[in-house]
């Protein structure tokens, strides 16, 4: 019952978001601010994670492929495909749900609890449009870019680790990367990126915007927002894979 | 003019506002007074539409706020300035940006004009050199004054202040009261102030609504208060001996006699 009413309120929130902005330049400024926070704010952690994930995939794939019949280029192919298909979009988005999602939920929650949202309402600002829309738009602009960066860095990390451990030489790795490359995989990963970035921004915005109570509830709301976003990401990952692959 | 008609508000089973009506006229300070928890903030939030009352109407210029279309709400809201009990400053913005926000959002002024206006209102709330501070770096009373500056920056037609001088020293408190009063008269604003500060009541109360446990217990002007026989009101307003004396002195001044002989013995003695 409460799930259904939550879904209903979520839909109403999305609907309420599409109102005419009072002043375009203010919304543009807010969008840019959110792009900075979500995009650049998460760049460091995304870079670190992708490089290490790529490195670990190379070493573990090499460890599992012991047969001399399998050419070494296969390692590069496997690393490339797992990074592009799964690690870059899904893992990065799960981490972003924690980093950006909890930020969005606690920012809005704090604004709600300290009556800043009410203050905006009283001024005649449409708070759903002003506070939520730029966050979702910024997430959908920046997170797919982060996913692309993660792909590149993941593969680069794999190449680096392969060379450092003496498993595979850079030339063979590069040859493997080019073998049987399917551009569709990148398209699929970006589709996932868009869906996930919508989840990462809208779900925490919902929990933050509707917080009631005090500081304690803000903490609870942002934890809940992260948990729900992660579950929804994994669920959407499964559905998209079943549909599109 | 704002008319409050038979407002009732419940939270769960608890009735917080019960059948309150009032008329708040432009150009005067309309005060809502009452003990902590008597429902002042809830009543004010109903008046501006942040809470929806279970029953009753709030009429702005004769039109019920709760049966208007969304666009009319927005239009009225643009004429409202409100100071919240907890200030509600945007904590990601500096003082200057906070006060400039309504200007940025709703006017086409140039940056220079906006900055001029910001400094003007900051001066009126007697704040200096705080333009680039953030709300977290201000004291409670300074936050209140910044919030008041933000509430009046667009020259509102309706001004709502929830305890504008709680947490201020008596002197600044008087400055703020005077400012609210001056603005109200100067721009013919319909001002509604929640307060339990007796100074403000006696200095600015053109219309006073006394709330007791969610009900309207008494209403009148600051003159009426002195002559009122309402026991609850008298106990609330003139809580201390000092204030009781002040009341009697006022009465003596105005009518030449005292209502009771509380302190007469002391006075007669040499
Ligand atoms: N959101 C809410 N949910 C439930 N009860 C509430 C809510 N807001 C206020 N109340 C109750 O309504 C009553 C009146 O509260 P209100 O905030 O209006 O008091 P007040 O007169 O403004 O007091 P103060 O002078 O301390 O600010 C209180 O008993 C409070 O517990
Ligand atoms: Mg209050």
């Amino acid at each position: 019952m409460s799930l259904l009413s939550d879904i209903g309120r979520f839909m109403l929130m999305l609907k309420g978001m599409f109102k005419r902005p009072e002043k375009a330049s203010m919304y543009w400024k807010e969008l840019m601010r959110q792009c900075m926070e979500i995009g650049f704010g998460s760049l460091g952690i995304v870079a670190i994670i992708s490089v290490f994930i790529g490195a670990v995939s190379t070493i573990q794939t090499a460890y599992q492929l012991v047969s001399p019949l399998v050419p070494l280029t296969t390692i590069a192919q496997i690393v490339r495909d797992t990074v592009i298909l799964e690690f870059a979009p899904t893992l990065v988005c799960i981490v972003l749900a924690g980093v950006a999602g909890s930020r969005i939920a606690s920012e809005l929650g704090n604004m709600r609890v300290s009556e800043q949202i009410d203050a905006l309402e009283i001024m005649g600002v449409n708070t759903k449009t002003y506070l939520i829309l730029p966050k979702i738009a910024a997430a959908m602009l920046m997170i797919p870019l982060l996913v692309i960066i993660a792909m590149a860095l993941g593969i680069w990390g794999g190449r680096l680790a392969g060379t450092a451990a003496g498993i595979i030489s850079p030339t063979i790795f590069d040859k493997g990367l080019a073998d049987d490359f399917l551009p569709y995989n990148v398209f699929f990963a970006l589709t996932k990126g868009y869906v996930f970035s919508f989840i990462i921004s809208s779900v925490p915005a919902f929990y933050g915007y509707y917080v009631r109570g005090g500081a304690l509830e803000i903490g609870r709301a942002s934890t809940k927002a992260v948990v729900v976003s992660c579950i929804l990401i994994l669920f959407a990952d499964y559905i998209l894979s079943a549909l599109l692959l | 003019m704002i008319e409050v008609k038979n407002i009732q508000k419940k939270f769960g089973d608890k009735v917080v506002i019960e059948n309150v009506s009032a008329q708040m006229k432009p150009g005067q300070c309309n005060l809502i007074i009452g003990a902590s928890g008597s429902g002042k903030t809830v009543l004010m939030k109903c008046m501006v539409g942040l809470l929806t009352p279970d029953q009753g109407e709030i009429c702005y210029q004769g039109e019920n706020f709760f049966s208007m279309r969304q666009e009319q709400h927005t239009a009225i809201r643009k004429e409202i300035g409100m100071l919240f009990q907890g200030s509600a400053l945007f904590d990601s913005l500096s003082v200057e940006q906070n006060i400039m926000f309504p200007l940025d959002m709703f006017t086409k002024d140039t940056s220079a004009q906006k900055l001029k206006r910001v400094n003007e209102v900051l001066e009126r709330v007697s704040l200096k050199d705080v333009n680039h501070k953030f709300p977290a770096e201000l004291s409670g009373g300074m936050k209140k004054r910044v919030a008041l500056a933000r509430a009046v920056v667009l020259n509102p037609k309706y001004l709502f202040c929830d305890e504008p001088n709680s947490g201020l020293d008596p002197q600044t408190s008087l400055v703020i009261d005077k400012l609210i009063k001056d603005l109200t008269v100067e721009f013919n604003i319909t001002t509604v102030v929640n307060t339990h500060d007796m100074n403000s009541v006696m200095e600015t109360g053109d219309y006073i609504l006394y709330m007791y446990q969610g009900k309207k217990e008494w209403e009148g002007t600051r003159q009426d208060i002195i002559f009122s026989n309402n026991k609850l009101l008298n106990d609330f307003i003139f809580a201390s001996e000092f204030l009781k004396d002040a009341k009697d002195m006022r009465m003596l001044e105005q009518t030449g006699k005292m209502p009771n002989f509380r302190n007469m013995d002391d006075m007669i003695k040499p």
Side-chain angles (χ1 to χ4, degrees), chain A residues 67 82 106 111 120 140 146 155-156 174 176 181 184 189 202 210 242:
Chain A
S67 161
T82 43
S106 50
M111 289 188 80
L120 282 168
M140 294 185 73
L146 287 175
I155 292 171
W156 178 74
D174 292 345
F181 173 68
Y184 178 78
S202 61
Y210 289 106

Side-chain angles (χ1 to χ4, degrees), chain B residues 163-210:
Chain B
E163 307 202 359
N165 42 26
S166 67
L168 294 182
D169 60 276
Q171 220 171 5
T172 319
S173 206
L174 285 176
V175 171
I176 296 297
D177 280 343
K178 186 159 170 2
L179 170 64
I180 293 177
K181 180 93 196 175
D182 289 350
L183 288 172
T184 303
V185 175
E186 197 176 329
F187 298 102
N188 200 30
I189 305 174
T190 308
T191 302
V192 182
V193 181
N194 280 358
T195 185
H196 26 60
D197 184 277
M198 283 319 116
N199 270 325
S200 330
V201 175
M202 298 317 288
E203 293 292 325
T204 66
D206 300 315
Y207 167 83
I208 298 159
L209 168 67
Y210 172 52

Side-chain angles (χ1 to χ4, degrees), chain B residues 41 85 162-163:
Chain B
T41 301
Q85 193 164 1
D162 199 346
E163 307 202 359

Side-chain angles (χ1 to χ4, degrees), chain A residues 23 115-116 121-123, chain B residues 45 77 89 91 104 107:
Chain A
K23 194 167 179 195
E115 297 181 316
Q116 293 173 48
E121 284 281 341
I122 290 294
M123 287 176 196
Chain B
K45 286 193 174 169
R77 290 227 163 128
L89 296 175
D91 34 38
D104 282 339
T107 69

Side-chain angles (χ1 to χ4, degrees), chain A residues 212, chain B residues 9-12 14-17 32-45 51 85 162-163 194-196 211 214:
Chain A
R212 272 160 183 281
Chain B
K9 177 76 189 168
K10 281 191 216 164
F11 287 109
K14 191 165 171 250
V15 183
V16 174
I17 303 284
I32 304 174
I33 61 173
S36 193
S38 56
K40 303 184 294 293
T41 301
V42 173
L43 180 61
M44 186 175 271
K45 286 193 174 169
L51 291 171
Q85 193 164 1
D162 199 346
E163 307 202 359
N194 280 358
T195 185
H196 26 60
M211 299 275 297

Side-chain angles (χ1 to χ4, degrees), chain A residues 161-175:
Chain A
T163 320
I167 301 167
I168 177 171
S169 76
T171 36
I172 298 180
F173 193 93
D174 292 345
K175 185 170 171 301

Side-chain angles (χ1 to χ4, degrees), chain B residues 127-182:
Chain B
L127 278 176
K128 268 198 306 243
D129 304 325
V130 290
N131 287 43
H132 301 293
K133 289 215 158 89
F134 281 84
E137 300 167 314
L138 301 179
S139 74
M142 288 161 98
K143 280 187 204 162
K144 274 262 149 78
R145 285 183 278 163
V146 175
L148 181 62
R150 186 180 69 182
V152 300
V153 73
L154 278 179
N155 282 326
K157 217 166 132 187
Y158 310 99
L159 178 62
F160 292 84
C161 302
D162 199 346
E163 307 202 359
N165 42 26
S166 67
L168 294 182
D169 60 276
Q171 220 171 5
T172 319
S173 206
L174 285 176
V175 171
I176 296 297
D177 280 343
K178 186 159 170 2
L179 170 64
I180 293 177
K181 180 93 196 175
D182 289 350

